[in-house]
Amino acid sequence: MEKKTNNLMRLLPYYKKYTILCVAVIILSLGYAGISLLSPIYEGKMLGFFEEFNQNEIIKTAVLLLIIRIVIEIVTNMWSRIVLKLNSKVNLDLKKNLLESLTNFEIKNFDHTNSGLFISRLNKDTTELAELFDFITDDLSEIILGVSFIIYVFFLNIYLGIFLILNLLIISLLVSKKISVYKKVRKNYKEKDENLIGLYTDIVRGIREVKSLNLKSVFLNNINHQQEDTIQAEMKSIDTRRTWNRWIAAMQHFLDFIYILLSIYFIKHQSLTVASFLIIFLYKNKILIFLNCISELREKIADGKISATRVFDMMDYQSFSKEQFGNQSIEYLNGKIEFQNVSFCYENELLFENLNFGIEPNQMVAIVGKSGEGKSTILKLMHKSYSVDKGKILLDGIDINKLSEKSIKNNIAIVLQSPYIFNLSIKENIRLSKMNAIDEEIIEVCKKAQIHDDIMKLENGYDTLVGENGVILSGGQKQRLAIARALMKQSKIILLDEATSSLDNENQEKIKHVMRDLSKDHTVIIVAHRLSTIVNADKILYLDHHSIVASGTHQYLMEHCSEYKKLYEIEE
Ligand SMILES: Nc1ncnc2c1ncn2[C@@H]1O[C@H](COP(=O)(O)OP(=O)(O)OP(=O)(O)O)[C@@H](O)[C@H]1O
Ligand SMILES: [Mg+2]
């Protein structure tokens, strides 16, 4: 699925936004390299003065070296501060954009993708990408320093200069080989890591089921197995890198040995001074750092390419589809809904074929039928969580695909079958639907949803934190809070999917009246298993074999639809 484009180039606009910071970082890196090169030059000179023991010159050079080193520290410090600032800005921009793309994905992308994939890309990959410039400039200044040093060696002795170049070529070849092997094992580790994060998320979110169904050992076995696999993959990637590093270092030691033999020859033939030999030998460490930097830089770029592919794959909707909306904007819908020859399938499984029905504004309509018939799916299609494959859904006579996201989402409120309650206070949860809602409005909707009295019994009332997915609330309280949240949206169309299934009869009866009341100026669509809760609906759609086999009032269906009658009588 991954495209073979160089996604690393996609990072450029992120840095372009902070051109001044980038330029400052580059100038400071170059400055660091330039000033650092003065060190070996003056140290070489000082060694020469020591040979002659010229005390005055030694002191002068030592003072100069002190100044050079202090300047290096100052430049390094400035570089570090600016590059960190740049890092954090790019990191934030990447995370923001990626999160925005994620919220624009079609819901179906979440049905079959491990959540670990999203979390790991959002969290780890963006951070790795943002750090790339830091590493590149850090390594680049060392590389420039190394190159300048080689040029300096050429001035001291041309043959040693050529030897150093050969040295670099040999090591670079080994580094190339290392990178290609490392890239493969690293990618394998990252894929395993994504799956593991998904499993962690599952066990943490599903811990109550895990405990109550005594699934601990099943989960632990599975997770331990995957953990072991992931840790092994990570170890393999670290081991591969380290083993190759050791081989490369061993090769460098061997080349150092040859360098000493060559130097003996040149000193004997007086084409190299002992001071120059010592300086080159001492600074060969720098060449090693330089080689490490090349290797590290290539590793980081290889890692960066993997991260960039994973981040921009999401950000550019390469493997994930984006929700599509039209641009027709309607502030207030009247609330008429029509399904015309609607066909829909999940993945490749056909669920509806030529589904037809209409709902008038301000009607209260119920959808009933056995489990798995597609009642929830009808609501999700009305709300455009999923798009139809064939046919049309019309809202006020306008094709839903032509309407803007705002027109649909602001005009339709839905209470899902298992609503998600956010880990906020009760008040904040309701305010999500209307950010500027005043306390009185919040209390009003809570009274309508029959949850106000329950909230008042809590120690902190409306300010009570409800925990992850409203863990401190009962099933029925969660449902009523979700209803209050939907009512707060003040949308024209209200969709309730089994929204009162966990309520006691008394509360259910009260909400039934509230809904009846609401349907005076709202279109209300209710999915319910308990038929007694919807007998007063204006119209009931009876689903069987994924199509509407009968529709009408309760009275009409009792007389004309034997299946419905049977269902109702079982309940009695
Ligand atoms: N995201 C999905 N991906 C694939 N198949 C799905 C998905 N959601 C639902 N289905 C399938 O579509 C069919 C209809 O599901 P739906 O949730 O609409 O039924 P329902 O009538 O609401 O059932 P219930 O009364 O149990 O809530 C079921 O067979 C279900 O397995
Ligand atoms: Mg359902």
Side-chain angles (χ1 to χ4, degrees), residues 341-344 350-356 390 545-547:
N341 298 319
V342 166
S343 298
F344 175 74
L350 186 69
L351 185 63
F352 298 126
E353 196 171 14
N354 289 327
L355 197 63
N356 287 289
K390 273 194 211 147
H545 293 98
H546 311 302
S547 56

Side-chain angles (χ1 to χ4, degrees), residues 129-361:
L129 278 185
E131 282 170 357
L132 209 55
F133 196 68
D134 184 339
F135 283 112
I136 290 177
T137 51
D138 189 15
D139 288 344
L140 266 186
S141 55
E142 294 297 342
I143 291 170
I144 293 168
L145 188 57
V147 171
S148 317
F149 184 69
I150 293 170
I151 296 171
Y152 175 58
V153 174
F154 262 94
F155 277 110
L156 294 178
N157 183 301
I158 189 163
Y159 298 107
L160 284 184
I162 293 171
F163 175 75
L164 272 187
I165 301 267
L166 278 176
N167 181 338
L168 285 183
L169 282 179
I170 293 169
I171 299 294
S172 297
L173 281 177
L174 288 176
V175 168
S176 293
K177 185 67 195 155
K178 172 184 123 178
I179 299 286
S180 75
V181 178
Y182 174 71
K183 230 166 116 176
K184 272 189 212 140
V185 287
R186 184 84 185 151
K187 193 166 175 228
N188 179 34
Y189 155 64
K190 286 211 161 192
E191 279 165 8
K192 289 196 179 336
D193 192 46
E194 269 174 5
N195 280 332
L196 189 60
I197 294 178
L199 280 176
Y200 287 153
T201 317
D202 253 4
I203 196 167
V204 173
R205 291 194 57 187
I207 191 72
R208 287 161 195 86
E209 276 82 355
V210 169
K211 279 172 179 282
S212 56
L213 296 172
N214 199 14
L215 299 174
K216 269 198 253 181
S217 54
V218 178
F219 262 83
L220 288 181
N221 278 346
N222 188 15
I223 288 194
N224 283 342
H225 178 70
Q226 302 254 7
Q227 265 178 163
E228 205 178 311
D229 236 26
T230 311
I231 289 174
Q232 266 179 10
E234 188 180 16
M235 290 307 118
K236 193 171 174 194
S237 92
I238 296 173
D239 185 48
T240 307
R241 190 163 49 101
R242 288 190 181 164
T243 310
W244 273 93
N245 283 348
R246 295 282 59 83
W247 279 111
I248 293 169
M251 174 56 95
Q252 187 56 47
H253 296 323
F254 175 69
L255 291 168
D256 281 353
F257 173 69
I258 299 200
Y259 167 75
I260 293 173
L261 297 185
L262 280 175
S263 298
I264 293 172
Y265 175 83
F266 289 125
I267 291 173
K268 248 187 176 173
H269 290 80
Q270 273 144 26
S271 53
L272 186 74
T273 63
V274 174
S276 299
F277 161 74
L278 282 174
I279 282 300
I280 300 175
F281 194 70
L282 290 176
Y283 270 83
K284 266 184 78 64
N285 271 349
K286 276 273 172 207
I287 302 280
L288 265 184
I289 294 176
F290 161 59
L291 287 173
N292 280 342
C293 286
I294 294 186
S295 143
E296 196 178 275
L297 188 62
R298 293 177 66 180
E299 251 172 49
K300 284 285 162 196
I301 290 180
D303 271 358
K305 276 187 182 165
I306 299 172
S307 293
T309 306
R310 290 150 51 93
V311 166
F312 293 112
D313 169 57
M314 264 173 78
M315 207 186 282
D316 300 342
Y317 308 100
Q318 289 172 14
S319 306
F320 304 94
S321 48
K322 188 181 179 187
E323 281 181 303
Q324 300 294 335
F325 293 98
N327 43 26
Q328 197 166 339
S329 199
I330 297 207
E331 191 153 5
Y332 300 107
L333 285 174
N334 287 324
K336 183 178 160 103
I337 304 169
E338 287 159 274
F339 272 48
Q340 289 184 350
N341 298 319
V342 166
S343 298
F344 175 74
C345 51
Y346 280 117
E347 293 290 285
N348 294 320
E349 193 103 2
L350 186 69
L351 185 63
F352 298 126
E353 196 171 14
N354 289 327
L355 197 63
N356 287 289
F357 64 85
I359 293 169
E360 292 303 315

